Amino acid sequence: MMNKLRLSSVFLLTLIFVAVMVLSGCSGGKSAAEVTPGTDNNSSKSGGSKDEQVTITYYTIDSEDRTFVEKLVPDFEKEHPNIKVKVDKAPYEQFDSKLQTLIAAGKSPDVTSHYGYGGFAEYYNKGMLLDLTDLIKEDGFSAEANNIPDNLIKIYTINDHVYGIPLNMYVTLMLYNKDMFDEAKLPYPTSDYEDKDWTFEKMVEYARPMTVISDDIAKTQYGLDFFWSERDNRPLYFGADPYSEDTWTNGGVPSETYFDTPEVMAAYNKLFDLIFKDKVSPTTEWSKSVAGQNGDPFVAGKIGMSVGGSWNLAGANDFPFNIGVAAVPWGGNDKVRSTLYVDPLFILKDSKHPKEAFEWIKYLIRADIQEKSIDLSGGNPPVNTEAAEVYYKHFEGIDPQDIKNVYEGAVKYGFESFNHLITNYSQINDMFINEMQPIETGHKTVEEVMPVIQKKVTDIIKR
Amino acid sequence: MNTVPVPKRRAAFSSSGSKRKASTTQIISFITLIITTFIMLLPLFFMVSTSLKSKREMLKFPPTFLPESWQWSNYTEIFDTLQFGTLYKNSLIIGVVTVFGTLISSALAAYGFSRYRGKGNQLWFMLLLATMMLPYPAIMIPQFIFFSKLNWIDTFLPLIVPSFFGSAYNIFLLRQFFSTLPEDLFDAGRIDGCGELRMWYKIALPLSGPALATVAIFAFIYSWNDLLAPVLYLSSTERFTLPVGMASLTSSRFRIPPWHLLMVASVLAMVPIVTLFAVAQKQFVEGIVLTGIK
Amino acid sequence: MTFKESRRQTFYMYLFIAPWLIGFLVFALYPILASLYYSFTDYDIIHPPRFIGLANYIEMFHNELFWKSVVVTLKYTFIGVPVQLLLALGFALLLNQTIPFRGFFRTAMYFPSMVSGVAMSLLWYWIFNPQIGLFNYILSWFGIHGPAWLMNPDTALYALIIMTLWTAGTGMILFLAGLQGVPASLIEAAKLDGAGRFKTFLHVILPMLSPVLLFQLIMSIIDSFQVFTQAYVMTQGGPNYSTWFYVYNLYTSAFKEYRAGYSSALAWVLLIVVMICTALIMKASDRYVHYEGGGRK
């Protein structure tokens, strides 16, 4: 009995130890080798023979307006019999963590975009992106031939090296509630960016008669909601650039920031005055209460004019009121009036088939595919100006000419959104949201908070 | 001597003396229960009501309490929007297998921890607890690297197989229950010549009905609602689970999500859990209370 | 205990725990050791980890957000855990009586724990809405002007604690399962001795429930220190960092800041702290927890 017991326990323990050895042995040394990027042999790999079938992975958000690309794959594969495209996806909230995990495990996707929290500058500075310059040269690809405005390509070019090809473009525009304008007997705002009368002051003037503050929550409404880009980006609207000039050429690492300067603080004060002095804009608390799960009080019909991203147009066909689009008024900056949100396609550095990946990118920005995508996605704005003509007509009850004016004006007076251009941006943005909260509730002043923010931005950028 | 314990069906707090007349305590409890139940069922009311609204009605402020017009068609629309049947089937497969695996392996391990004072018991038990103390985001990457080495990516295996090796939470839970079983029972079993494994399934398991039911419920709900692991390990749409499919409804940053459809999905997703619970909770109603051995 | 008996006990223990032990060595050990290794490195996921010794551990003690997250998490734990346990125990005692519709009541109590996260969070936005929310509506009956809850830094954490009370059903189930193990004969004996309801509870039922209570206490602490989802879905750590929980901080460090090394160090500090708490509780429990079984005495 004794011996039997001993034998079996020895056996069991041996089994366990073998298991440990095998496992730690095979997995221990891996992680490092796994992660080493294979940049050196990229070119040799991609030059593989024509008949060899390769599979590339396109990683995107798992939502209807992104996964529609699956419907474009069969035609692409027909055109390129040697390439198979696999679409991998994750919900928005898990997009970053899954992407990073895939890369860490050596399963990096080939093509993706900055669909999660992080932006281009983040990816670029971490060295995640493949330099497309040689591929472009080799291929003879030209933005012009694809009707992509040259200044859009420049957004993702650093020191003459191209890292991303634009796919979709959202702009900042004004949506207005026609019913509220009619009720206040106001003329509709213009969609013409060249109309010199359309200024910030004029907008505030329009907002006043539409603002009703009542004890009855069902009656309260505001004239204006000014969500021009992210918080740190907003001073630019008034002509105060809070980041130093070199930021835009060196890959998003500002050598200096100016959040505590009088100009920047004056800009913020002008914005908070809309809530506390002019009282034509709602507090964050009211906005969030009314917006509820939909994220924007405009859709509840409680806001006269809403300045924000053009994605707000997407739900337009469901709004229970009539809407129009207008230009962002002039606010003191002659060059910039609209933030652009250009979503590019990247090839990740660890891609084993950059050439084939580039074919896929080229396919997605072709005029006919971009046009097809508008309907399939339910209204994604194409970068291809030819396809854009179709996009302008996509919205019921809104004059296509207005949308065209607003888009073209925005490109002319546009600047790419900071969230794509500045390194460590998701931390900067988190910090702004939290630090500015006391100003939004009226507990602190701009003058008290901005010096703290200035210090924290500097710390984050240094990281 | 009869080693099978004589079960007596009775709940611990029953007031056996007052069968006819309800006591004041019972009346007060009953009223408390009705109020709490009302609060607890708010989510259900809210889910069902929202699931019957139209997309346009969801935009209204102040929101409506009951749907203006009852859109039963939402319940068919979900099948067009998502591959709802496939998602459901996948989640069920994973859930059922996980429950099965968790029950067997956790009951075995818990028995080992609770009934034998072997060398290293304390140490291994602390290690067991420690596995629960590292937050998932911290082990996500190495775990993924490990499973990808096994070529298990885009299969159900990473979601199912670990359950056959016990879950720390449920082992701990069952260990606590097994520890409360009277030692006399096992002594009696031993005298009757029962082997150790036999005592496990002839004595320990039958007497732990409520605990095993609890483990089954917990394991199923955990697997059924788990989002992070399936998102990470699955990449083909035809293998997605319910939570992954539901997350896709609210994933667009540029669209107003179809909340009404999400609620339809949530209501439908409740069905197996509620059914399982309703069945399993009978274990608590008819809980076998030992009177000890005569 | 004889030598032979101790051998026998060891053998059977390993035999029974083998499934878990093998699983632990095969599936859990590598990720755990890997994260320990990462915690001593500078690892941004893209480039290979670079050994930097204790730098991550030293850094966190100088990091403002780290300390904020510690305070927030401790507050959440010390307020949330006791309230949740008491509530769960109360429900369980109520629902262990013979009353009509017992099965229905139990299902109802457990219901919120079954609902998937997104559906619940939507409900909570609605309940805590300062303008039209149910919560402030009920407070207004008592003449209280309710706060903005999730949007106010002073109340957001409490709103999240209130939210967790809805899931007290989980604890209730565990207590219910535990209550089924209380022999009716013991209760009757106590009654014959003239013990009141409260005394019976304190001296008969509570000791019998103590193993389950210990389990719940330890698990609530482990879970509560790791609270994350609510903050991620409902408040994003805000407003003004008032719900910046420890694991939220850890997650942000890893996946927003690309600092898997630092984030792993945070995880290991958490592990050690929770481990010490657990060990202390286990040690203290030896005196109070009543195990019927002979294995441990």
Side-chain angles (χ1 to χ4, degrees):
Chain A
M1 179 71 181
M2 188 62 215
N3 275 340
K4 218 169 146 192
L5 268 181
R6 200 160 152 194
L7 244 154
S8 6
S9 55
V10 166
F11 173 73
L12 189 74
L13 283 174
T14 325
L15 193 90
I16 290 163
F17 274 111
V18 169
V20 184
M21 286 312 171
V22 168
L23 281 159
S24 55
C26 75
S27 44
K30 246 167 229 162
S31 48
E34 210 52 58
V35 200
T36 321
T39 27
D40 304 336
N41 42 20
N42 261 337
S43 46
S44 62
K45 266 181 195 159
S46 57
S49 67
K50 278 264 155 121
D51 355 301
E52 208 182 310
Q53 172 121 169
V54 299
T55 303
I56 57 164
T57 311
Y58 176 59
Y59 180 59
T60 189
I61 298 254
D62 187 11
S63 65
E64 254 188 311
D65 58 345
R66 297 284 176 216
T67 48
F68 72 90
V69 289
E70 286 172 340
K71 295 179 190 142
L72 301 172
V73 170
D75 279 348
F76 174 80
E77 288 178 347
K78 224 175 271 164
E79 283 177 34
H80 303 271
N82 64 322
I83 310 174
K84 286 250 169 282
V85 179
K86 183 166 168 34
V87 179
D88 195 358
K89 53 212 162 184
Y92 172 67
E93 298 288 359
Q94 281 78 33
F95 182 86
D96 289 299
S97 57
K98 181 166 179 174
L99 176 62
Q100 290 174 36
T101 310
L102 287 170
I103 293 177
K107 301 231 169 229
S108 168
D110 298 279
V111 181
T112 189
S113 183
H114 50 203
Y115 290 138
Y117 291 110
F120 164 73
E122 202 114 52
Y123 290 16
Y124 167 77
N125 284 303
K126 292 283 178 262
M128 287 162 71
L129 304 179
L130 187 76
D131 182 353
L132 305 178
T133 320
D134 292 341
L135 275 174
I136 290 174
K137 224 178 261 163
E138 210 178 306
D139 186 86
F141 170 85
S142 98
E144 214 173 300
N146 284 285
N147 305 308
I148 301 175
D150 197 40
N151 57 341
L152 299 189
I153 289 277
K154 279 202 186 113
I155 300 171
Y156 299 109
T157 304
I158 295 172
N159 299 327
D160 298 324
H161 290 267
V162 182
Y163 291 91
I165 308 286
L167 173 72
N168 293 119
M169 177 180 63
Y170 293 92
V171 301
T172 305
L173 47 69
M174 172 187 280
L175 287 187
Y176 60 92
N177 184 325
K178 281 190 173 165
D179 298 2
M180 278 173 74
F181 266 78
D182 291 346
E183 206 175 309
K185 300 200 169 58
L186 288 166
Y188 295 147
T190 176
S191 65
D192 181 7
Y193 265 80
E194 308 302 335
D195 185 340
K196 297 285 176 232
D197 289 336
W198 185 224
T199 62
F200 185 79
E201 282 69 30
K202 183 102 176 193
M203 173 174 71
V204 175
E205 215 174 280
Y206 275 12
R208 282 182 216 279
M210 287 191 286
T211 304
V212 179
I213 298 167
S214 154
D215 283 339
D216 182 355
I217 46 164
K219 281 194 183 126
T220 302
Q221 57 180 43
Y222 288 91
L224 172 66
D225 217 359
F226 197 80
F227 279 128
W228 196 89
S229 195
E230 301 290 355
R231 287 168 177 74
D232 64 318
N233 208 155
R234 285 180 198 156
L236 184 66
Y237 172 76
F238 298 102
D241 192 342
Y243 296 101
S244 56
E245 200 55 40
D246 53 358
T247 312
W248 321 123
T249 49
N250 70 7
V253 190
S255 56
E256 273 181 311
T257 59
Y258 313 112
F259 283 101
D260 53 355
T261 60
E263 295 78 34
V264 170
M265 288 204 278
Y268 280 119
N269 273 321
K270 231 171 164 175
L271 286 178
F272 286 111
D273 281 351
L274 291 174
I275 303 169
F276 298 114
K277 223 168 102 199
D278 305 314
K279 296 200 162 92
V280 294
S281 289
T283 59
T284 322
E285 187 192 314
W286 186 91
S287 283
K288 280 192 176 172
S289 309
V290 173
Q293 69 280 3
N294 298 316
D296 187 346
F298 182 78
V299 304
K302 303 288 180 188
I303 298 288
M305 295 172 280
S306 166
V307 173
S310 54
W311 49 82
N312 291 336
L313 266 173
N317 296 351
D318 285 317
F319 295 167
F321 49 87
N322 296 308
I323 64 165
V325 294
V328 177
W330 178 85
N333 188 335
D334 290 326
K335 282 205 193 106
V336 181
R337 274 160 73 181
S338 179
T339 351
L340 307 180
Y341 303 85
V342 177
D343 285 331
L345 290 171
F346 307 129
I347 299 181
L348 294 176
K349 208 169 201 168
D350 293 350
S351 166
K352 293 185 178 71
H353 310 288
K355 246 189 165 167
E356 288 78 6
F358 195 64
E359 287 299 323
W360 171 242
I361 291 180
K362 274 178 11 196
Y363 177 76
L364 287 180
I365 57 166
R366 226 166 62 190
D368 59 325
I369 300 302
Q370 286 244 301
E371 215 176 293
K372 231 180 176 175
S373 304
I374 299 167
D375 236 24
L376 285 176
S377 66
N380 282 3
V383 280
N384 190 308
T385 48
E386 196 186 311
E389 296 293 334
V390 179
Y391 171 77
Y392 302 144
K393 296 185 195 116
H394 185 79
F395 303 95
E396 285 167 35
I398 306 176
D399 186 355
Q401 189 58 44
D402 281 340
I403 303 184
K404 187 180 160 93
N405 287 349
V406 162
Y407 254 84
E408 287 178 355
V411 173
K412 188 171 171 196
Y413 297 100
F415 196 86
E416 182 63 12
S417 169
F418 288 0
N419 71 337
H420 295 158
L421 298 183
I422 292 171
T423 194
N424 297 342
Y425 192 83
S426 32
Q427 294 164 68
I428 296 180
N429 197 33
D430 270 353
M431 187 271 289
F432 262 87
I433 291 170
N434 281 295
E435 296 292 340
M436 280 204 149
Q437 197 268 344
I439 315 182
E440 284 163 14
T441 52
H443 284 84
K444 276 188 181 170
T445 63
V446 168
E447 286 72 18
E448 282 172 304
V449 171
M450 290 324 290
V452 180
I453 287 186
Q454 164 68 13
K455 198 186 152 289
K456 292 199 168 175
V457 170
T458 318
D459 288 347
I460 293 173
I461 287 167
K462 263 194 223 138
R463 246 175 227 156
Chain B
M1 186 176 143
N2 187 6
T3 52
V4 180
V6 185
K8 198 173 174 187
R9 280 145 206 272
R10 184 176 292 165
F13 230 68
S14 69
S15 2
S16 46
S18 49
K19 266 202 176 141
R20 292 271 168 86
K21 206 172 63 179
S23 68
T24 26
T25 336
Q26 275 177 322
I27 293 170
I28 294 170
S29 318
F30 200 68
I31 294 169
T32 322
L33 278 175
I34 288 176
I35 296 170
T36 350
T37 304
F38 174 76
I39 297 172
M40 290 298 181
L41 285 184
L42 264 178
L44 179 66
F45 166 79
F46 172 78
M47 277 163 61
V48 175
S49 157
T50 311
S51 74
L52 291 167
K53 289 181 182 175
S54 69
K55 185 164 191 184
R56 203 169 257 229
E57 196 179 338
M58 289 302 297
L59 303 180
K60 281 218 165 131
F61 184 87
T64 47
F65 211 59
L66 287 170
E68 283 167 343
S69 65
W70 299 58
Q71 292 233 351
W72 291 101
S73 60
N74 290 349
Y75 278 77
T76 50
E77 201 187 326
I78 190 77
F79 288 89
D80 303 331
T81 317
L82 297 174
Q83 293 175 300
F84 202 73
T86 313
L87 297 173
Y88 219 90
K89 192 190 79 199
N90 292 342
S91 280
L92 269 179
I93 293 173
I94 296 173
V96 169
V97 178
T98 304
V99 168
F100 182 73
T102 309
L103 272 178
I104 294 184
S105 57
S106 303
L108 277 172
Y111 192 78
F113 276 121
S114 71
R115 306 238 35 109
Y116 301 103
R117 208 160 51 160
K119 273 198 194 102
N121 186 312
Q122 298 275 338
L123 174 79
W124 289 118
F125 188 68
M126 277 320 262
L127 271 173
L128 172 97
L129 294 183
T131 57
M132 291 186 281
M133 295 173 191
L134 274 182
Y136 185 65
I139 52 165
M140 204 165 120
I141 291 177
Q143 198 183 59
F144 185 90
I145 293 177
F146 176 73
F147 283 129
S148 79
K149 289 298 146 204
L150 298 179
N151 256 328
W152 282 9
I153 306 307
D154 205 19
T155 70
F156 291 163
L157 295 175
L159 310 174
I160 290 177
V161 174
S163 75
F164 283 86
F165 295 92
S167 92
Y169 178 89
N170 292 310
I171 293 173
F172 184 17
L173 171 61
L174 287 174
R175 168 193 181 261
Q176 296 304 89
F177 277 96
F178 289 154
S179 312
T180 63
L181 296 175
E183 182 68 7
D184 331 7
L185 287 177
F186 296 92
D187 290 343
R190 217 162 278 142
I191 291 164
D192 273 14
C194 274
E196 300 291 322
L197 202 65
R198 213 177 136 77
M199 286 208 278
W200 173 70
Y201 74 81
K202 278 284 182 195
I203 301 177
L205 292 191
L207 290 179
S208 306
L212 293 172
T214 309
V215 169
I217 295 169
F218 286 179
F220 187 77
I221 292 183
Y222 183 81
S223 152
W224 189 255
N225 286 337
D226 187 23
L227 173 67
L228 293 179
V231 158
L232 204 57
Y233 290 112
L234 305 175
S235 59
S236 305
T237 319
E238 66 270 17
R239 295 199 187 88
F240 279 4
T241 61
L242 261 184
V244 181
M246 282 158 71
S248 77
L249 292 176
T250 56
S251 261
S252 173
R253 275 193 308 158
F254 299 139
R255 302 290 156 82
I256 297 165
W259 295 110
H260 56 303
L261 292 182
L262 182 77
M263 288 300 159
V264 171
S266 304
V267 170
L268 293 177
M270 297 293 308
V271 176
I273 315 185
V274 176
T275 316
L276 174 69
F277 185 81
V279 172
Q281 70 92 25
K282 289 226 167 77
Q283 285 286 334
F284 309 139
V285 180
E286 297 165 6
I288 297 163
V289 179
L290 290 171
T291 48
I293 293 171
K294 286 166 191 163
Chain C
M1 200 191 287
T2 62
F3 179 68
K4 190 178 153 192
E5 173 63 10
S6 124
R7 279 261 171 207
R8 204 186 68 87
Q9 295 258 348
T10 307
F11 171 75
Y12 281 113
M13 185 194 84
Y14 279 102
L15 192 71
F16 275 101
I17 70 167
W20 169 75
L21 200 54
I22 294 168
F24 169 76
L25 298 170
V26 173
F27 295 113
L29 195 61
Y30 169 65
I32 290 174
L33 293 181
S35 80
L36 180 61
Y37 167 65
Y38 292 158
S39 77
F40 297 110
T41 66
D42 180 14
Y43 181 32
D44 69 357
I45 291 158
I46 320 298
H47 303 98
R50 192 169 55 85
F51 189 80
I52 51 166
L54 288 172
N56 287 325
Y57 290 90
I58 294 164
E59 184 195 331
M60 72 180 75
F61 292 99
H62 302 288
N63 187 310
E64 194 190 346
L65 281 181
F66 168 79
W67 288 112
K68 260 186 189 147
S69 75
V70 168
V71 173
V72 170
T73 308
L74 285 178
K75 242 194 202 168
Y76 178 85
T77 304
F78 279 109
I79 301 171
V81 170
V83 179
Q84 174 125 18
L85 285 185
L86 283 177
L87 212 61
L89 183 60
F91 286 162
L93 289 174
L94 275 178
L95 285 173
N96 202 38
Q97 307 177 88
T98 36
I99 40 162
F101 311 114
R102 193 162 63 167
F104 165 76
F105 282 132
R106 286 173 174 175
T107 314
M109 291 291 178
Y110 190 54
F111 185 80
S113 313
M114 306 185 216
V115 184
S116 75
V118 199
M120 273 310 262
S121 61
L122 198 58
L123 170 80
W124 285 109
Y125 279 130
W126 177 65
I127 286 182
F128 283 130
N129 190 312
Q131 302 271 339
I132 47 131
L134 192 72
F135 217 89
N136 281 358
Y137 178 66
I138 291 171
L139 286 180
S140 72
W141 294 348
F142 306 98
I144 302 169
H145 182 75
W149 292 111
L150 291 166
M151 301 165 206
N152 182 334
D154 298 330
T155 51
L157 184 65
Y158 298 99
L160 292 188
I161 293 176
I162 292 173
M163 274 170 59
T164 59
L165 298 185
W166 249 252
T167 54
T170 307
M172 176 198 77
I173 297 295
L174 288 165
F175 281 127
L176 266 180
L179 281 170
Q180 309 312 313
V182 181
S185 55
L186 274 183
I187 294 169
E188 266 154 33
K191 266 190 196 143
L192 285 178
D193 286 351
R197 216 162 250 279
F198 182 68
K199 267 208 161 144
T200 315
F201 171 74
L202 208 64
H203 296 299
V204 181
I205 297 176
L206 205 56
M208 296 297 284
L209 267 187
S210 55
V212 185
L213 195 61
L214 174 71
F215 169 79
Q216 293 225 55
L217 183 63
I218 290 178
M219 282 318 302
S220 314
I221 289 175
I222 293 179
D223 286 347
S224 171
F225 272 110
Q226 290 186 33
V227 58
F228 168 67
T229 319
Q230 291 96 317
Y232 192 57
V233 177
M234 308 278 307
T235 57
Q236 289 81 47
N240 205 357
Y241 303 110
S242 58
T243 57
W244 198 271
F245 291 118
Y246 193 91
V247 174
Y248 187 80
N249 189 43
L250 183 153
Y251 185 89
T252 335
S253 311
F255 297 114
K256 277 191 177 177
E257 301 177 18
Y258 295 75
R259 302 181 71 208
Y262 178 68
S263 159
S264 299
L266 287 173
W268 276 84
V269 168
L270 179 71
L271 175 104
I272 290 162
V273 170
V274 178
M275 190 60 129
I276 292 172
C277 289
T278 309
L280 287 178
I281 294 172
M282 294 282 264
K283 192 126 198 111
S285 76
D286 281 351
R287 285 180 54 193
Y288 301 104
V289 175
H290 174 88
Y291 290 109
E292 191 74 17
R296 43 196 65 244
K297 264 176 189 146

